[in-house]
């Protein structure tokens, strides 16, 4: 397994999405809010579970200033 590092903390992200059993990876079971998805930079590197959970908590704690207009 090719170990990738989390771009936020530098630790292994322990992602198994690119293996023959991606359904077993923690990342396939984690749901991120649209707010957090909008805040994350596009990257080819996966964040680790700990960092994503921390970032989700921070995003949840921020009040929404505006609601985007739905087309």
């Amino acid at each position: 397994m090719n170990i990738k590092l989390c771009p936020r903390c530098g630790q292994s992200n322990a992602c198994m999405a690119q293996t023959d059993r991606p359904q077993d990876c923690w990342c396939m079971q984690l749901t991120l809010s649209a707010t957090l998805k909008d805040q994350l930079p596009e990257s080819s590197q996966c964040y680790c579970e700990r960092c994503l959970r921390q970032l989700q908590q921070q995003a949840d704690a921020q009040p929404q200033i505006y609601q985007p207009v739905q087309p």
Side-chain angles (χ1 to χ4, degrees):
M1 181 161 103
N2 187 9
I3 296 177
K4 303 284 184 168
L5 301 180
C6 173
R8 184 171 182 246
C9 71
Q11 299 298 312
S12 169
N13 62 28
C15 184
M16 295 173 47
Q18 300 300 319
T19 68
D20 60 343
R21 297 198 44 94
Q23 68 276 12
D24 291 342
C25 187
W26 63 268
C27 71
M28 296 296 175
Q29 300 166 17
L30 186 64
T31 303
L32 302 177
S33 70
T35 302
L36 178 58
K37 288 178 185 178
D38 289 344
Q39 292 175 355
L40 291 175
E42 288 193 34
S43 173
S44 60
Q45 292 179 285
C46 296
Y47 288 79
C48 70
E49 183 176 11
R50 188 177 120 232
C51 284
L52 276 179
R53 290 191 186 279
Q54 287 174 349
L55 290 168
Q56 184 63 65
Q57 287 176 343
Q58 291 171 4
D60 290 345
Q62 295 174 358
Q64 295 238 343
I65 298 172
Y66 70 93
Q67 292 290 330
V69 176
Q70 297 295 324

